[in-house]
Amino acid sequence: MNGTARARQREETRRTLVRESRRLFASRGYGAVGLSEIVRAAGVTKGALYHHFDSKAELFRAVVEQVQQEVGRRVAEGADAMDDPWDQLVAGCEAFLAAGADPEVQQIMLIDGPAVLGWNEWRAMDEAASASHLADALAALVEAGVIAGQPLAPLTHLLSGAMNEAALWLASSTGPNDLADTQAALVRMLESLRVRS
């Protein structure tokens, strides 16, 4: 087997490990899934797993990163579908809540993510994946005079925290209108930031 074929095989093994562990972590939670189960589901040996990941936590980190990037893309796509900067902010925030309502996202990104990786590492990953988009949108709105001038870091963290908390609440809610009601409450909260002319 030549070097290119080996590299493709290694990458395919890594993708399979991430895919299968993601499926298992999403359905049962990080703590309930063992390495033996992951390698069995992926059809590889523990040696192959350790070739790619030093530990179960490192494998989980790759899964969280993948989920956060997907959520970030969904938020960006929601925002990019709008032309007006204010509408982009609202659509992006609504897209985040909709993505956070997905049980897989809730379990991996919002429940197990901070618990397994630790708050600081999880926050850094969240910042890289979606909070930076929120900060950029808020900065543009302040610059345009749509939102009153203010320190953006606290505002970004307040809104991000509120949306993460809402997504966690949605994880245990049972009402058929809870997502729509939460999105409507978020829009009302965002509207309070607008400068009235």
Side-chain angles (χ1 to χ4, degrees):
M1 186 182 302
N2 66 33
T4 304
R6 275 194 299 275
R8 273 197 302 265
Q9 184 179 27
R10 279 193 301 273
E11 184 53 35
E12 181 57 34
T13 298
R14 187 182 194 288
R15 275 195 302 270
T16 301
L17 284 164
V18 170
R19 182 185 65 241
E20 291 303 317
S21 61
R22 177 177 175 165
R23 180 181 60 78
L24 292 166
F25 293 148
S27 65
R28 301 210 343 262
Y30 176 84
V33 177
L35 286 179
S36 296
E37 188 176 3
I38 292 169
V39 296
R40 191 170 42 253
V44 301
T45 64
K46 277 193 180 178
L49 182 142
Y50 285 122
H51 177 76
H52 294 279
F53 303 98
D54 290 338
S55 63
K56 178 180 157 184
E58 187 179 326
L59 175 57
F60 181 71
R61 184 178 297 107
V63 170
V64 172
E65 187 173 74
Q66 182 183 72
V67 171
Q68 285 187 321
Q69 288 172 352
E70 289 171 9
V71 169
R73 278 194 298 276
R74 288 169 71 176
V75 168
E77 288 168 4
D80 291 345
M82 301 296 174
D83 294 325
D84 177 74
W86 177 260
D87 294 337
Q88 289 175 341
L89 172 69
V90 171
C93 290
E94 289 177 328
F96 176 82
L97 285 179
D102 179 334
E104 181 176 300
V105 170
Q106 292 166 349
Q107 184 65 50
I108 292 171
M109 190 175 93
L110 299 171
I111 297 170
D112 285 340
V116 173
L117 302 176
W119 180 252
N120 288 335
E121 183 174 354
W122 182 85
R123 268 309 288 146
M125 292 173 75
D126 182 57
E127 180 76 27
S130 60
S132 61
H133 296 297
L134 178 59
D136 292 344
L138 292 170
L141 290 167
V142 166
E143 186 176 314
V146 176
I147 294 176
Q150 59 191 289
L152 290 174
L155 180 59
T156 301
H157 286 279
L158 283 166
L159 289 175
S160 179
M163 288 186 287
N164 283 334
E165 182 62 29
L168 282 170
W169 175 74
L170 287 167
S172 62
S173 70
T174 56
N177 297 322
D178 287 346
L179 175 59
D181 291 346
T182 303
Q183 288 173 323
L186 176 64
V187 171
R188 286 190 298 275
M189 186 173 79
L190 291 173
E191 284 291 338
S192 71
L193 298 172
R194 287 183 90 161
V195 173
R196 301 292 173 214
S197 40

